[in-house]
């Protein structure tokens, strides 16, 4: 219900409108309060003043551009800001993590990190790394990229000798040993 909202965020390169309520956002985060207040002051300076109307700094609708978030991620973030609930999923966890750090929501940050750890433990580190590059300009994503690269590099280094060994031509029949068949993953290395 955009008509009930008093702030519009123009999100992403497309500048898609995402609506919110200033009072709720300002009470949830000191950073959000400062952001809203700063933009409110800027808009009141740019707006011509009339003698008849004396507005409080929070009385008129406000528009703020947020170019560096994906629309769905910022919508999920604002839903959390307004309701305290977030639907954290594989496709929005990086954007939510970055927004939680940038706008000062430690509880959302903790939930995102727990979700990321679960994904890593289930072997989805490489997919998370790909998603993290979307927000490579944000510090939380940069840290996550570094954290995800280290285990992946170690895993790559550990499997490289095995890959080289299985890539060597052998005189023996590979089908006799199911662990070395080209279509099955390597089982283990014995010396």
């Amino acid at each position: 219900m955009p008509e009930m909202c008093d702030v519009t965020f123009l999100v992403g390169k497309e500048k898609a409108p995402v609506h919110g309520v200033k009072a709720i956002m300002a009470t949830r985060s000191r950073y959000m309060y400062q952001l809203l207040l700063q933009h409110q002051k800027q808009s009141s300076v740019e707006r011509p003043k009339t003698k008849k109307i004396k507005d409080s700094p929070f009385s008129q609708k406000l528009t703020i551009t947020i170019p560096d978030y994906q629309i769905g991620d910022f919508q999920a973030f604002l839903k959390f800001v307004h309701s305290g609930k977030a639907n954290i999923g594989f496709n929005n966890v990086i954007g939510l993590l970055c927004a939680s750090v940038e706008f000062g929501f430690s509880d959302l940050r903790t939930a995102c990190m727990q979700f990321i750890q679960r994904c890593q433990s289930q072997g989805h580190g490489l997919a998370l790394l790909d998603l993290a590059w979307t927000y490579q300009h944000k510090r939380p994503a940069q840290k996550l990229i570094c954290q995800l690269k280290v285990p992946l590099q170690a895993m790559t280094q550990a499997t490289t000798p095995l890959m080289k060994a299985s890539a060597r031509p052998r005189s023996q029949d590979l089908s006799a040993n199911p662990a070395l068949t080209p279509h099955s993953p390597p089982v283990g290395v014995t010396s």
Side-chain angles (χ1 to χ4, degrees):
M1 289 200 256
E3 60 276 358
M4 302 302 277
C5 298
D6 54 4
V7 62
T8 301
F9 293 94
L10 301 177
V11 182
K13 294 174 185 169
E14 303 86 7
K15 294 190 177 186
V18 179
H19 306 283
V21 178
K22 290 186 274 190
I24 294 172
M25 294 186 311
T27 58
R28 295 272 289 141
S29 159
R30 182 84 177 144
Y31 182 88
M32 292 293 275
Y33 173 79
Q34 293 295 330
L35 176 75
L36 293 168
L37 190 59
Q38 174 190 0
H39 279 82
Q40 192 68 48
K41 286 179 181 178
Q42 285 176 351
S43 71
S44 65
V45 168
E46 294 168 1
R47 185 173 41 94
K49 294 185 179 185
T50 61
K51 292 181 182 179
K52 293 180 183 178
I53 303 172
K54 185 171 182 173
D55 293 328
S56 74
F58 284 97
S59 63
Q60 64 267 42
K61 289 198 176 202
L62 184 62
T63 303
I64 300 173
T65 302
I66 305 286
D68 49 355
Y69 282 94
Q70 292 184 359
I71 299 161
D73 296 348
F74 199 77
Q75 286 173 329
F77 171 69
L78 277 188
K79 180 180 177 185
F80 172 79
V81 172
H82 286 85
S83 69
K85 296 179 182 177
N87 292 324
I88 299 173
F90 193 76
N91 291 325
N92 70 0
V93 67
I94 307 298
L96 286 173
L97 174 66
C98 292
S100 69
V101 172
E102 183 174 342
F103 297 107
F105 288 87
S106 61
D107 49 348
L108 180 59
R109 181 192 172 283
T110 300
C112 289
M113 290 306 296
Q114 289 171 350
F115 185 87
I116 289 168
Q117 289 168 351
R118 279 195 310 275
C119 288
Q120 281 182 280
S121 69
Q122 295 172 357
H124 300 295
L126 186 59
L128 280 172
L129 181 61
D130 287 341
L131 291 170
W133 284 106
T134 304
Y135 288 100
Q136 64 183 338
H137 57 283
K138 299 283 188 187
R139 186 75 180 132
Q142 292 169 359
K143 285 183 176 181
L144 187 61
I145 289 168
C146 291
Q147 289 173 1
L148 291 171
K149 272 187 171 182
V150 172
L152 290 174
Q153 287 173 343
M155 185 176 73
T156 304
Q157 291 171 354
T159 58
T160 302
L162 180 61
M163 291 158 113
K164 287 180 182 176
S166 65
R168 279 190 224 127
R170 296 186 186 262
S171 57
Q172 68 188 40
D173 182 17
L174 291 178
S175 62
N177 186 348
L180 296 176
T181 58
H183 300 292
S184 64
V187 175
V189 179
T190 56
S191 30

